[in-house]
Amino acid sequence: MIREYPALNIKFVCYTDWHQLPDSANALFERAAKDSLFFSRQWLARVTTESANDGETLLLACVVSAGTVMAILPLMQSPIKTWYSVKHGYTALFSLLLASDDQQNVLACLAQGLSQLPFTGVLLEPVAKDDNNMIAFQHAMESAGFRCDHTFRHYNWIYRVQGESFADYMVARPARVRNTIARKQRKLEREHGYEIRLYTGDETLPAMTDYYAIYCASWKANEQNEAFLKDIVDSFSMAGWTRLAILYVKGKPVAAQLWFVHHGKANVFRLAYDDTWRHYSPGSILTRFLMQHVIDTDKVEEIDYLTGNDFYKQDWMSERRERYVLCCIKNTKPANKYERLFRPLKRLLPRHAGSKARAGVSNG
C-alpha cells in the first residue's frame, strides 16, 4: 500500500517483509538502537517470526521521503481488526522509529496513512510515557481522528551509574545485601569451592548448553523460548553485546545470568539457578560479579532490570519507572459510544496488563 502526499513531498508505504525495506532504513534502526536494543533491527526482525500467532502477519508502516525512510512503526496485522506492536514476552520497551527531520509532516503522513488501514484499534506496548517519539505520535493520531489512552503494563527498575566505580556502587547497597553475599561466598568456597566464567562473543552460544541445564534445574522448569533465545544470542554475540556469566561448583553449572550490554546500557535479560544450591545464594553472587564487570570494565552508564517489580531488584537498583500500553482507536462512532468500543479492546490485553502487573512480573 502506498499513499502519496505531494504537498509534503512524502509518502506512506506499507511493507510486509523486512527484506522489502529500503537500505536507508538501516540508519533509522542504528539511531534508535542507541536508545534501546529493543529498537534494533536484530531484535525486531527475530521477534516477528517468534511472536506471530495464527492469521497474524507483519506490517511495517513507514513514511518515505525522496527514497529515505523517515519513520517505521512495526506492527502485526490481526484478523480480528485489532493490530499490535511487534513484540515478544521478553520485549521491555517499544517505540516508533523516527528521523529527526520534518517530524511534524512525517507524523501527520503516518497518522493519515494508518487511518486508512483496515483495523479498528492498535495496541502498542510496552511504551514509556516520557518517550518524545510516542508523545508526538499520539498527538498526530488524535489529530487524525483516533482516540488514545494509556493502560499500565509493568514496572521497570534501573540504576544510573553516573561515573562511579563498582566499589562506590556496593557501598551504597544495603548492608544486609553486602553482608549476605560475603558470607555466602565464604561458605560456598569453604564447603565446595566455586568458579565463575564469563562468556562473550563467539564463546556465548556454546556455553548456553550450561544455561539450559541450570534453567531445567531451577524453579522455572523448562525454557520455553529456546529457539528464539538461541537466535537472539547468536545475533547479539556477533555484535559483541552478550555477557553470559555461569557459576560452577566442581565443574557443575549451578547458576547463570545472561546480560546484554549495548551503547552504555547493561540489560539484565535472563537469570536462573539450580534450586538445590539456593541456600548459597548463587544468584546474588553472580549479580555482584556482573555488576562489577559492567561498571568497571564495560563502563556502562545505566543498568536495566527490564520488567517486573520483584522485591530483590530494589536492592540493586535506584529508580522505578512505569511502562504502558498505548491504545489508539478509530473514532468512527459517536463519542457516547466510545467506551463501548474501548472496553472490549482493553480486554484483549494480557491479563496482567492492569492492576495485577503492579505486583510484579520478573523477566528473569
Side-chain angles (χ1 to χ4, degrees), residues 18-45:
W18 290 101
H19 299 295
Q20 296 174 357
L21 281 174
D23 291 341
S24 63
N26 291 330
L28 207 54
F29 281 111
E30 290 171 5
R31 177 187 174 193
K34 292 179 181 179
D35 293 326
S36 173
L37 63 83
F38 297 103
F39 305 159
S40 68
R41 185 163 185 163
Q42 291 99 314
W43 175 265
L44 289 166

PDB file of all heavy atoms in Angstrom, residues 18-45:
ATOM      1  N   TRP A  18      10.710  -7.791   6.034  1.00  0.00           N
ATOM      2  CA  TRP A  18      11.863  -6.979   6.405  1.00  0.00           C
ATOM      3  C   TRP A  18      12.769  -6.716   5.203  1.00  0.00           C
ATOM      4  O   TRP A  18      13.396  -5.663   5.111  1.00  0.00           O
ATOM      5  CB  TRP A  18      12.661  -7.675   7.516  1.00  0.00           C
ATOM      6  CG  TRP A  18      11.941  -7.682   8.831  1.00  0.00           C
ATOM      7  CD1 TRP A  18      11.248  -8.722   9.384  1.00  0.00           C
ATOM      8  CD2 TRP A  18      11.823  -6.585   9.744  1.00  0.00           C
ATOM      9  NE1 TRP A  18      10.701  -8.341  10.584  1.00  0.00           N
ATOM     10  CE2 TRP A  18      11.042  -7.040  10.832  1.00  0.00           C
ATOM     11  CE3 TRP A  18      12.293  -5.283   9.756  1.00  0.00           C
ATOM     12  CZ2 TRP A  18      10.724  -6.227  11.919  1.00  0.00           C
ATOM     13  CZ3 TRP A  18      11.980  -4.466  10.837  1.00  0.00           C
ATOM     14  CH2 TRP A  18      11.204  -4.939  11.890  1.00  0.00           C
ATOM     15  N   HIS A  19      12.829  -7.655   4.278  1.00  0.00           N
ATOM     16  CA  HIS A  19      13.711  -7.503   3.121  1.00  0.00           C
ATOM     17  C   HIS A  19      13.199  -6.459   2.124  1.00  0.00           C
ATOM     18  O   HIS A  19      13.946  -6.034   1.241  1.00  0.00           O
ATOM     19  CB  HIS A  19      13.883  -8.851   2.420  1.00  0.00           C
ATOM     20  CG  HIS A  19      14.493  -9.910   3.294  1.00  0.00           C
ATOM     21  ND1 HIS A  19      15.777  -9.814   3.773  1.00  0.00           N
ATOM     22  CD2 HIS A  19      13.978 -11.079   3.777  1.00  0.00           C
ATOM     23  CE1 HIS A  19      16.052 -10.881   4.514  1.00  0.00           C
ATOM     24  NE2 HIS A  19      14.978 -11.660   4.533  1.00  0.00           N
ATOM     25  N   GLN A  20      11.951  -6.059   2.268  1.00  0.00           N
ATOM     26  CA  GLN A  20      11.408  -5.039   1.378  1.00  0.00           C
ATOM     27  C   GLN A  20      11.849  -3.628   1.765  1.00  0.00           C
ATOM     28  O   GLN A  20      11.753  -2.703   0.958  1.00  0.00           O
ATOM     29  CB  GLN A  20       9.874  -5.107   1.374  1.00  0.00           C
ATOM     30  CG  GLN A  20       9.300  -6.397   0.813  1.00  0.00           C
ATOM     31  CD  GLN A  20       7.789  -6.459   0.975  1.00  0.00           C
ATOM     32  OE1 GLN A  20       7.172  -5.568   1.561  1.00  0.00           O
ATOM     33  NE2 GLN A  20       7.178  -7.527   0.451  1.00  0.00           N
ATOM     34  N   LEU A  21      12.304  -3.464   2.987  1.00  0.00           N
ATOM     35  CA  LEU A  21      12.697  -2.129   3.442  1.00  0.00           C
ATOM     36  C   LEU A  21      13.864  -1.596   2.628  1.00  0.00           C
ATOM     37  O   LEU A  21      14.832  -2.318   2.374  1.00  0.00           O
ATOM     38  CB  LEU A  21      13.101  -2.173   4.920  1.00  0.00           C
ATOM     39  CG  LEU A  21      11.993  -2.193   5.966  1.00  0.00           C
ATOM     40  CD1 LEU A  21      12.601  -2.392   7.358  1.00  0.00           C
ATOM     41  CD2 LEU A  21      11.176  -0.905   5.938  1.00  0.00           C
ATOM     42  N   PRO A  22      13.810  -0.327   2.241  1.00  0.00           N
ATOM     43  CA  PRO A  22      14.959   0.280   1.563  1.00  0.00           C
ATOM     44  C   PRO A  22      16.182   0.290   2.477  1.00  0.00           C
ATOM     45  O   PRO A  22      16.059   0.283   3.710  1.00  0.00           O
ATOM     46  CB  PRO A  22      14.481   1.711   1.271  1.00  0.00           C
ATOM     47  CG  PRO A  22      12.988   1.640   1.322  1.00  0.00           C
ATOM     48  CD  PRO A  22      12.661   0.591   2.338  1.00  0.00           C
ATOM     49  N   ASP A  23      17.359   0.324   1.888  1.00  0.00           N
ATOM     50  CA  ASP A  23      18.590   0.329   2.677  1.00  0.00           C
ATOM     51  C   ASP A  23      18.664   1.525   3.616  1.00  0.00           C
ATOM     52  O   ASP A  23      19.318   1.465   4.663  1.00  0.00           O
ATOM     53  CB  ASP A  23      19.807   0.330   1.745  1.00  0.00           C
ATOM     54  CG  ASP A  23      19.978  -0.990   0.997  1.00  0.00           C
ATOM     55  OD1 ASP A  23      19.393  -1.997   1.447  1.00  0.00           O
ATOM     56  OD2 ASP A  23      20.675  -0.997  -0.037  1.00  0.00           O
ATOM     57  N   SER A  24      17.994   2.602   3.252  1.00  0.00           N
ATOM     58  CA  SER A  24      18.044   3.807   4.087  1.00  0.00           C
ATOM     59  C   SER A  24      17.429   3.581   5.465  1.00  0.00           C
ATOM     60  O   SER A  24      17.673   4.352   6.393  1.00  0.00           O
ATOM     61  CB  SER A  24      17.326   4.959   3.388  1.00  0.00           C
ATOM     62  OG  SER A  24      15.945   4.668   3.210  1.00  0.00           O
ATOM     63  N   ALA A  25      16.640   2.506   5.612  1.00  0.00           N
ATOM     64  CA  ALA A  25      16.027   2.214   6.911  1.00  0.00           C
ATOM     65  C   ALA A  25      17.072   1.839   7.952  1.00  0.00           C
ATOM     66  O   ALA A  25      16.842   2.011   9.155  1.00  0.00           O
ATOM     67  CB  ALA A  25      14.996   1.089   6.770  1.00  0.00           C
ATOM     68  N   ASN A  26      18.220   1.341   7.500  1.00  0.00           N
ATOM     69  CA  ASN A  26      19.246   0.898   8.452  1.00  0.00           C
ATOM     70  C   ASN A  26      19.724   2.028   9.348  1.00  0.00           C
ATOM     71  O   ASN A  26      19.997   1.825  10.532  1.00  0.00           O
ATOM     72  CB  ASN A  26      20.429   0.283   7.696  1.00  0.00           C
ATOM     73  CG  ASN A  26      20.061  -1.036   7.042  1.00  0.00           C
ATOM     74  OD1 ASN A  26      19.199  -1.761   7.534  1.00  0.00           O
ATOM     75  ND2 ASN A  26      20.713  -1.343   5.931  1.00  0.00           N
ATOM     76  N   ALA A  27      19.838   3.228   8.787  1.00  0.00           N
ATOM     77  CA  ALA A  27      20.271   4.376   9.587  1.00  0.00           C
ATOM     78  C   ALA A  27      19.275   4.671  10.697  1.00  0.00           C
ATOM     79  O   ALA A  27      19.659   5.047  11.817  1.00  0.00           O
ATOM     80  CB  ALA A  27      20.452   5.598   8.691  1.00  0.00           C
ATOM     81  N   LEU A  28      17.992   4.485  10.410  1.00  0.00           N
ATOM     82  CA  LEU A  28      16.953   4.725  11.407  1.00  0.00           C
ATOM     83  C   LEU A  28      17.050   3.700  12.539  1.00  0.00           C
ATOM     84  O   LEU A  28      16.918   4.046  13.716  1.00  0.00           O
ATOM     85  CB  LEU A  28      15.583   4.652  10.731  1.00  0.00           C
ATOM     86  CG  LEU A  28      14.429   5.443  11.350  1.00  0.00           C
ATOM     87  CD1 LEU A  28      14.794   6.901  11.524  1.00  0.00           C
ATOM     88  CD2 LEU A  28      13.186   5.315  10.480  1.00  0.00           C
ATOM     89  N   PHE A  29      17.291   2.439  12.181  1.00  0.00           N
ATOM     90  CA  PHE A  29      17.446   1.400  13.199  1.00  0.00           C
ATOM     91  C   PHE A  29      18.679   1.649  14.060  1.00  0.00           C
ATOM     92  O   PHE A  29      18.631   1.488  15.285  1.00  0.00           O
ATOM     93  CB  PHE A  29      17.551   0.021  12.539  1.00  0.00           C
ATOM     94  CG  PHE A  29      16.229  -0.543  12.100  1.00  0.00           C
ATOM     95  CD1 PHE A  29      15.933  -0.668  10.752  1.00  0.00           C
ATOM     96  CD2 PHE A  29      15.292  -0.944  13.028  1.00  0.00           C
ATOM     97  CE1 PHE A  29      14.718  -1.190  10.338  1.00  0.00           C
ATOM     98  CE2 PHE A  29      14.068  -1.466  12.629  1.00  0.00           C
ATOM     99  CZ  PHE A  29      13.783  -1.593  11.281  1.00  0.00           C
ATOM    100  N   GLU A  30      19.777   2.031  13.427  1.00  0.00           N
ATOM    101  CA  GLU A  30      21.009   2.267  14.176  1.00  0.00           C
ATOM    102  C   GLU A  30      20.849   3.421  15.155  1.00  0.00           C
ATOM    103  O   GLU A  30      21.345   3.358  16.288  1.00  0.00           O
ATOM    104  CB  GLU A  30      22.157   2.545  13.206  1.00  0.00           C
ATOM    105  CG  GLU A  30      22.586   1.319  12.403  1.00  0.00           C
ATOM    106  CD  GLU A  30      23.574   1.645  11.307  1.00  0.00           C
ATOM    107  OE1 GLU A  30      24.008   2.824  11.240  1.00  0.00           O
ATOM    108  OE2 GLU A  30      23.913   0.747  10.510  1.00  0.00           O
ATOM    109  N   ARG A  31      20.142   4.442  14.725  1.00  0.00           N
ATOM    110  CA  ARG A  31      19.920   5.573  15.622  1.00  0.00           C
ATOM    111  C   ARG A  31      19.025   5.173  16.785  1.00  0.00           C
ATOM    112  O   ARG A  31      19.292   5.494  17.945  1.00  0.00           O
ATOM    113  CB  ARG A  31      19.280   6.723  14.835  1.00  0.00           C
ATOM    114  CG  ARG A  31      18.934   7.917  15.698  1.00  0.00           C
ATOM    115  CD  ARG A  31      18.160   8.954  14.935  1.00  0.00           C
ATOM    116  NE  ARG A  31      17.722  10.031  15.815  1.00  0.00           N
ATOM    117  CZ  ARG A  31      16.828  10.950  15.483  1.00  0.00           C
ATOM    118  NH1 ARG A  31      16.297  10.931  14.276  1.00  0.00           N
ATOM    119  NH2 ARG A  31      16.492  11.894  16.331  1.00  0.00           N
ATOM    120  N   ALA A  32      17.953   4.448  16.483  1.00  0.00           N
ATOM    121  CA  ALA A  32      17.009   4.049  17.530  1.00  0.00           C
ATOM    122  C   ALA A  32      17.647   3.073  18.513  1.00  0.00           C
ATOM    123  O   ALA A  32      17.372   3.114  19.721  1.00  0.00           O
ATOM    124  CB  ALA A  32      15.767   3.421  16.898  1.00  0.00           C
ATOM    125  N   ALA A  33      18.508   2.188  18.016  1.00  0.00           N
ATOM    126  CA  ALA A  33      19.135   1.186  18.871  1.00  0.00           C
ATOM    127  C   ALA A  33      20.042   1.804  19.929  1.00  0.00           C
ATOM    128  O   ALA A  33      20.341   1.163  20.939  1.00  0.00           O
ATOM    129  CB  ALA A  33      19.928   0.200  18.022  1.00  0.00           C
ATOM    130  N   LYS A  34      20.469   3.034  19.720  1.00  0.00           N
ATOM    131  CA  LYS A  34      21.283   3.703  20.735  1.00  0.00           C
ATOM    132  C   LYS A  34      20.472   3.967  21.996  1.00  0.00           C
ATOM    133  O   LYS A  34      21.020   4.070  23.088  1.00  0.00           O
ATOM    134  CB  LYS A  34      21.838   5.018  20.182  1.00  0.00           C
ATOM    135  CG  LYS A  34      22.869   4.819  19.073  1.00  0.00           C
ATOM    136  CD  LYS A  34      23.369   6.145  18.530  1.00  0.00           C
ATOM    137  CE  LYS A  34      24.376   5.932  17.412  1.00  0.00           C
ATOM    138  NZ  LYS A  34      24.862   7.219  16.840  1.00  0.00           N
ATOM    139  N   ASP A  35      19.157   4.076  21.842  1.00  0.00           N
ATOM    140  CA  ASP A  35      18.281   4.285  22.994  1.00  0.00           C
ATOM    141  C   ASP A  35      17.893   2.970  23.661  1.00  0.00           C
ATOM    142  O   ASP A  35      17.744   2.908  24.871  1.00  0.00           O
ATOM    143  CB  ASP A  35      17.020   5.033  22.567  1.00  0.00           C
ATOM    144  CG  ASP A  35      17.302   6.459  22.125  1.00  0.00           C
ATOM    145  OD1 ASP A  35      18.217   7.078  22.707  1.00  0.00           O
ATOM    146  OD2 ASP A  35      16.630   6.942  21.209  1.00  0.00           O
ATOM    147  N   SER A  36      17.730   1.928  22.866  1.00  0.00           N
ATOM    148  CA  SER A  36      17.368   0.630  23.425  1.00  0.00           C
ATOM    149  C   SER A  36      17.646  -0.468  22.403  1.00  0.00           C
ATOM    150  O   SER A  36      17.335  -0.311  21.222  1.00  0.00           O
ATOM    151  CB  SER A  36      15.881   0.600  23.811  1.00  0.00           C
ATOM    152  OG  SER A  36      15.480  -0.705  24.197  1.00  0.00           O
ATOM    153  N   LEU A  37      18.206  -1.581  22.874  1.00  0.00           N
ATOM    154  CA  LEU A  37      18.442  -2.697  21.956  1.00  0.00           C
ATOM    155  C   LEU A  37      17.123  -3.292  21.460  1.00  0.00           C
ATOM    156  O   LEU A  37      17.087  -3.985  20.445  1.00  0.00           O
ATOM    157  CB  LEU A  37      19.295  -3.773  22.619  1.00  0.00           C
ATOM    158  CG  LEU A  37      18.776  -4.526  23.847  1.00  0.00           C
ATOM    159  CD1 LEU A  37      17.874  -5.684  23.480  1.00  0.00           C
ATOM    160  CD2 LEU A  37      19.958  -5.060  24.663  1.00  0.00           C
ATOM    161  N   PHE A  38      16.015  -3.005  22.168  1.00  0.00           N
ATOM    162  CA  PHE A  38      14.707  -3.495  21.736  1.00  0.00           C
ATOM    163  C   PHE A  38      14.190  -2.744  20.513  1.00  0.00           C
ATOM    164  O   PHE A  38      13.181  -3.127  19.935  1.00  0.00           O
ATOM    165  CB  PHE A  38      13.701  -3.409  22.885  1.00  0.00           C
ATOM    166  CG  PHE A  38      14.071  -4.283  24.053  1.00  0.00           C
ATOM    167  CD1 PHE A  38      14.625  -3.741  25.198  1.00  0.00           C
ATOM    168  CD2 PHE A  38      13.896  -5.654  23.977  1.00  0.00           C
ATOM    169  CE1 PHE A  38      14.980  -4.548  26.260  1.00  0.00           C
ATOM    170  CE2 PHE A  38      14.251  -6.471  25.036  1.00  0.00           C
ATOM    171  CZ  PHE A  38      14.800  -5.923  26.182  1.00  0.00           C
ATOM    172  N   PHE A  39      14.875  -1.664  20.126  1.00  0.00           N
ATOM    173  CA  PHE A  39      14.531  -0.935  18.903  1.00  0.00           C
ATOM    174  C   PHE A  39      15.441  -1.349  17.742  1.00  0.00           C
ATOM    175  O   PHE A  39      15.297  -0.839  16.632  1.00  0.00           O
ATOM    176  CB  PHE A  39      14.680   0.573  19.105  1.00  0.00           C
ATOM    177  CG  PHE A  39      13.896   1.133  20.268  1.00  0.00           C
ATOM    178  CD1 PHE A  39      14.251   2.346  20.844  1.00  0.00           C
ATOM    179  CD2 PHE A  39      12.812   0.454  20.806  1.00  0.00           C
ATOM    180  CE1 PHE A  39      13.545   2.871  21.910  1.00  0.00           C
ATOM    181  CE2 PHE A  39      12.104   0.969  21.886  1.00  0.00           C
ATOM    182  CZ  PHE A  39      12.478   2.181  22.437  1.00  0.00           C
ATOM    183  N   SER A  40      16.380  -2.243  17.996  1.00  0.00           N
ATOM    184  CA  SER A  40      17.329  -2.642  16.960  1.00  0.00           C
ATOM    185  C   SER A  40      16.653  -3.549  15.935  1.00  0.00           C
ATOM    186  O   SER A  40      15.680  -4.249  16.228  1.00  0.00           O
ATOM    187  CB  SER A  40      18.524  -3.364  17.577  1.00  0.00           C
ATOM    188  OG  SER A  40      18.128  -4.630  18.101  1.00  0.00           O
ATOM    189  N   ARG A  41      17.201  -3.554  14.738  1.00  0.00           N
ATOM    190  CA  ARG A  41      16.662  -4.434  13.699  1.00  0.00           C
ATOM    191  C   ARG A  41      16.895  -5.904  14.070  1.00  0.00           C
ATOM    192  O   ARG A  41      16.059  -6.759  13.778  1.00  0.00           O
ATOM    193  CB  ARG A  41      17.320  -4.118  12.352  1.00  0.00           C
ATOM    194  CG  ARG A  41      16.729  -4.913  11.192  1.00  0.00           C
ATOM    195  CD  ARG A  41      17.100  -4.303   9.864  1.00  0.00           C
ATOM    196  NE  ARG A  41      16.449  -4.998   8.746  1.00  0.00           N
ATOM    197  CZ  ARG A  41      16.338  -4.509   7.532  1.00  0.00           C
ATOM    198  NH1 ARG A  41      16.812  -3.298   7.260  1.00  0.00           N
ATOM    199  NH2 ARG A  41      15.730  -5.195   6.577  1.00  0.00           N
ATOM    200  N   GLN A  42      18.029  -6.184  14.731  1.00  0.00           N
ATOM    201  CA  GLN A  42      18.321  -7.561  15.139  1.00  0.00           C
ATOM    202  C   GLN A  42      17.209  -8.099  16.032  1.00  0.00           C
ATOM    203  O   GLN A  42      16.799  -9.255  15.902  1.00  0.00           O
ATOM    204  CB  GLN A  42      19.655  -7.628  15.899  1.00  0.00           C
ATOM    205  CG  GLN A  42      20.871  -7.351  15.027  1.00  0.00           C
ATOM    206  CD  GLN A  42      21.341  -5.931  15.165  1.00  0.00           C
ATOM    207  OE1 GLN A  42      20.539  -4.997  15.130  1.00  0.00           O
ATOM    208  NE2 GLN A  42      22.650  -5.758  15.306  1.00  0.00           N
ATOM    209  N   TRP A  43      16.744  -7.269  16.957  1.00  0.00           N
ATOM    210  CA  TRP A  43      15.692  -7.719  17.883  1.00  0.00           C
ATOM    211  C   TRP A  43      14.349  -7.830  17.172  1.00  0.00           C
ATOM    212  O   TRP A  43      13.685  -8.867  17.223  1.00  0.00           O
ATOM    213  CB  TRP A  43      15.589  -6.755  19.062  1.00  0.00           C
ATOM    214  CG  TRP A  43      14.454  -7.098  19.987  1.00  0.00           C
ATOM    215  CD1 TRP A  43      13.190  -6.570  19.976  1.00  0.00           C
ATOM    216  CD2 TRP A  43      14.460  -8.075  21.023  1.00  0.00           C
ATOM    217  NE1 TRP A  43      12.412  -7.154  20.946  1.00  0.00           N
ATOM    218  CE2 TRP A  43      13.169  -8.078  21.606  1.00  0.00           C
ATOM    219  CE3 TRP A  43      15.431  -8.943  21.534  1.00  0.00           C
ATOM    220  CZ2 TRP A  43      12.827  -8.912  22.667  1.00  0.00           C
ATOM    221  CZ3 TRP A  43      15.087  -9.771  22.599  1.00  0.00           C
ATOM    222  CH2 TRP A  43      13.808  -9.756  23.140  1.00  0.00           C
ATOM    223  N   LEU A  44      13.929  -6.763  16.524  1.00  0.00           N
ATOM    224  CA  LEU A  44      12.586  -6.712  15.950  1.00  0.00           C
ATOM    225  C   LEU A  44      12.384  -7.765  14.864  1.00  0.00           C
ATOM    226  O   LEU A  44      11.313  -8.391  14.790  1.00  0.00           O
ATOM    227  CB  LEU A  44      12.322  -5.318  15.387  1.00  0.00           C
ATOM    228  CG  LEU A  44      12.139  -4.221  16.441  1.00  0.00           C
ATOM    229  CD1 LEU A  44      12.221  -2.834  15.793  1.00  0.00           C
ATOM    230  CD2 LEU A  44      10.811  -4.373  17.163  1.00  0.00           C
ATOM    231  N   ALA A  45      13.389  -7.998  14.029  1.00  0.00           N
ATOM    232  CA  ALA A  45      13.234  -8.971  12.952  1.00  0.00           C
ATOM    233  C   ALA A  45      13.064 -10.377  13.499  1.00  0.00           C
ATOM    234  O   ALA A  45      12.265 -11.174  12.977  1.00  0.00           O
ATOM    235  CB  ALA A  45      14.432  -8.915  12.014  1.00  0.00           C
TER     236      ALA A  45
END
